[in-house]
Every structure is written in C-alpha cells, then in structure tokens.
Amino acid sequence: QVQLVESGGGLVQPGGSLRLSCAASGMPFSTYTMGWFRQAPGKEREFVAAITWSGGRTYYGDPVKGRFTTSRDNAKNTVYLQMNSLKPEDTAVYFCAARRHATGWGAETFTSWGQGTQVTVSS
C-alpha cells in the first residue's frame, strides 16, 4: 500500500523560506514521477511542481517558477520542495502525489496522495 507523508509546513513571514519533505513507502519510489500540489480555501487544487523518476527533469506551475525548487533522493524515498521568497498567496495546504506514466499535470493523473501539510505565509 502506497503511503506518502508530508512534513515541514508551518507559519513563515513573507519573503521567508520553507522546505517541505514527502516520505514515500509501499512503492518502488525510484520508478514514480512525484508531484506537488496545493489547495487554498475555496480554490481548486493547483499544480505546483513535479520531478521525473530519475530527477532529470522538473516542471513548475507559473506562480512558483523561479521561487520553488523540487528535488528527490531515491535512496531515502523522499521528495522535497524548497520554497523561497514566499508570498501570502502561497498560503495553502500542500500535497505530495505520485504516479507512473501519464501526460499532463492535472491532479487526476496522479494515483496516490499524501494527507497534506499547511503552509501559512503571514506577517
């Protein structure tokens, strides 16, 4: 059974940084593309970032390009999201997700999800 557990969320001031982690188990982690999504109250789930199985390619949603970086450590079955220059509009629950082969970055293309971690950007 696939299990994804996010950690690292919290309260941070505008302009600050946070690093989220997602630990995976119950799956051949190194064969999965991993993604990050976020959902703010009253809004749809939004694509944030993704990284291919080898870590060779990364993809980002327009609102976070140049500020967020995703990486993975296949030896530790963990994917990371480094978030810099945080803005109040980055406030949301952040989810880790996993999938095998699919095209596009819609949430429906991911088959396994974590429970989410809250990120709040406020002074």
Side-chain angles (χ1 to χ4, degrees), residues 62-100:
D62 287 342
V64 308
K65 283 181 180 177
R67 300 187 297 123
F68 290 12
T69 302
T70 188
S71 61
R72 66 190 295 161
D73 185 338
N74 285 345
K76 296 182 178 180
N77 286 4
T78 301
V79 63
Y80 305 97
L81 183 68
Q82 178 66 44
M83 306 185 293
N84 298 329
S85 302
L86 283 161
K87 305 175 182 180
E89 51 263 44
D90 294 318
T91 296
V93 177
Y94 283 71
F95 297 90
C96 170
R99 75 180 195 195
R100 299 297 294 275

Side-chain angles (χ1 to χ4, degrees), residues 2-122:
V2 175
Q3 186 173 16
L4 303 174
V5 180
E6 302 96 336
S7 61
L11 173 64
V12 63
Q13 292 187 344
S17 298
L18 278 176
R19 188 174 85 153
L20 305 183
S21 300
C22 172
S25 60
M27 57 187 272
F29 180 76
S30 64
T31 68
Y32 277 69
T33 289
M34 300 300 295
W36 290 96
F37 289 77
R38 66 187 183 186
Q39 189 165 20
K43 295 189 176 181
E44 293 187 354
R45 194 163 293 193
E46 175 186 36
F47 172 72
V48 174
I51 185 166
T52 55
W53 64 273
S54 67
R57 292 186 179 183
T58 55
Y59 304 85
Y60 297 95
D62 287 342
V64 308
K65 283 181 180 177
R67 300 187 297 123
F68 290 12
T69 302
T70 188
S71 61
R72 66 190 295 161
D73 185 338
N74 285 345
K76 296 182 178 180
N77 286 4
T78 301
V79 63
Y80 305 97
L81 183 68
Q82 178 66 44
M83 306 185 293
N84 298 329
S85 302
L86 283 161
K87 305 175 182 180
E89 51 263 44
D90 294 318
T91 296
V93 177
Y94 283 71
F95 297 90
C96 170
R99 75 180 195 195
R100 299 297 294 275
H101 306 292
T103 57
W105 300 116
E108 70 280 0
T109 67
F110 286 80
T111 54
S112 299
W113 292 84
Q115 83 290 346
T117 186
Q118 177 70 46
V119 171
T120 302
V121 184
S122 175

